Amino acid sequence: GQQLNQSPQSMFIQEGEDVSMNCTSSSIFNTWLWYKQEPGEGPVLLIALYKAGELTSNGRLTAQFGITRKDSFLNISASIPSDVGIYFCAGQLRSNYQLIWGAGTKLIIKP
Amino acid sequence: DAGVIQSPRHEVTEMGQEVTLRCKPISGHDYLFWYRQTMMRGLELLIYFNNNVPIDDSGMPEDRFSAKMPNASFSTLKIQPSEPRDSAVYFCASSLSLTRAGELFFGEGSRLTVL
């Protein structure tokens, strides 16, 4: 079946550092989305990307839709404690609009 | 505005018992999704509805699982009989339209523990 490779699996960083994570697939996606999940809550949509090459920012977050339509990255600049959580990428196929999910990147900020 | 509302937040039951999880989507959203999340398998789509009609239930693990959406503001996911391997967090999510079907609004989830 369809799979997304999300990396890294986890990140231990200092407050103030920049963060980068990415997702790749063997399939071409129509849409890339990035979600964040905090403990005890459901995922929350951060950024949605609809065009190849699109670069979109949401505050300190920036995400790009890869030009090949098979990859996407998410950057977080100047991390703060509330950035802690699990970040998921998701790709949407044109054919059936179903979302394919990455396994998540767990972000931990060292005190 | 109220988001997606799920109940119960936590459920602990014994193997063999029936479990019913409930969801109220965001008003005006045409799509409703049921997901299951475990450490081993991540987020798995179980079933989704469009305008109260089930569209794809290929993710439903087996006949013990069933889902209904009797009206636009209510859906249930039922497990009968429940088994320990059903222990997971079950999420309901809704989205506005087909062109934005990936933009999901999730509830807080129902954590199910089957002993």
Side-chain angles (χ1 to χ4, degrees):
Chain A
Q2 310 288 346
Q3 283 192 338
L4 285 184
N5 296 310
Q6 184 170 354
S7 64
Q9 187 174 15
S10 60
M11 302 182 74
F12 293 79
I13 63 166
Q14 298 276 6
E15 183 177 350
E17 286 186 23
D18 295 344
V19 171
S20 184
M21 59 191 78
N22 68 84
C23 280
T24 60
S25 173
S26 57
S27 300
I28 292 174
F29 289 112
N30 196 40
T31 304
W32 281 97
L33 307 110
W34 287 91
Y35 286 81
K36 178 188 178 187
Q37 185 176 24
E38 297 184 15
E41 299 183 6
V44 174
L45 180 65
L46 299 173
I47 294 177
L49 302 159
Y50 291 95
K51 295 180 182 178
E54 180 181 355
L55 184 72
T56 297
S57 293
N58 178 4
R60 293 177 296 104
L61 277 60
T62 302
Q64 184 159 31
F65 192 143
I67 197 71
T68 64
R69 307 183 76 94
K70 295 182 178 181
D71 63 320
S72 177
F73 71 75
L74 175 71
N75 288 341
I76 305 173
S77 63
S79 58
I80 59 177
S82 61
D83 290 334
V84 165
I86 302 176
Y87 292 80
F88 291 97
C89 64
Q92 189 175 37
L93 299 168
R94 179 189 291 271
S95 58
N96 60 11
Y97 295 96
Q98 185 171 132
L99 282 184
I100 310 298
W101 292 83
T105 295
K106 187 172 185 178
L107 181 61
I108 300 166
I109 297 181
K110 298 181 231 179
Chain B
D1 286 343
V4 174
I5 299 172
Q6 291 186 245
S7 65
R9 288 295 312 276
H10 302 275
E11 173 98 4
V12 180
T13 191
E14 292 189 344
M15 183 173 63
Q17 296 298 305
E18 178 179 292
V19 173
T20 300
L21 308 178
R22 299 172 178 79
C23 175
K24 176 179 168 51
I26 293 173
S27 177
H29 281 196
D30 289 341
Y31 288 81
L32 183 140
F33 303 80
W34 281 101
Y35 277 89
R36 177 171 69 177
Q37 186 177 41
T38 61
M39 290 291 291
M40 290 296 294
R41 301 172 69 91
L43 276 163
E44 300 175 278
L45 177 66
L46 301 177
I47 186 171
Y48 79 93
F49 296 82
N50 176 26
N51 291 324
N52 314 338
V53 176
I55 302 300
D56 184 353
D57 65 354
S58 59
M60 297 284 262
E62 45 197 275
D63 291 346
R64 298 184 297 106
F65 286 68
S66 62
K68 294 182 180 179
M69 192 165 185
N71 58 62
S73 60
F74 184 66
S75 177
T76 59
L77 178 67
K78 187 174 291 187
I79 308 172
Q80 166 64 18
S82 58
E83 296 182 2
R85 60 187 167 134
D86 301 332
S87 298
V89 181
Y90 291 82
F91 287 104
C92 176
S94 66
S95 68
L96 183 59
S97 67
L98 188 63
T99 54
R100 291 289 189 260
E103 295 182 15
L104 301 180
F105 292 80
F106 283 83
E108 292 184 311
S110 295
R111 181 176 293 276
L112 173 64
T113 303
V114 183
L115 303 174

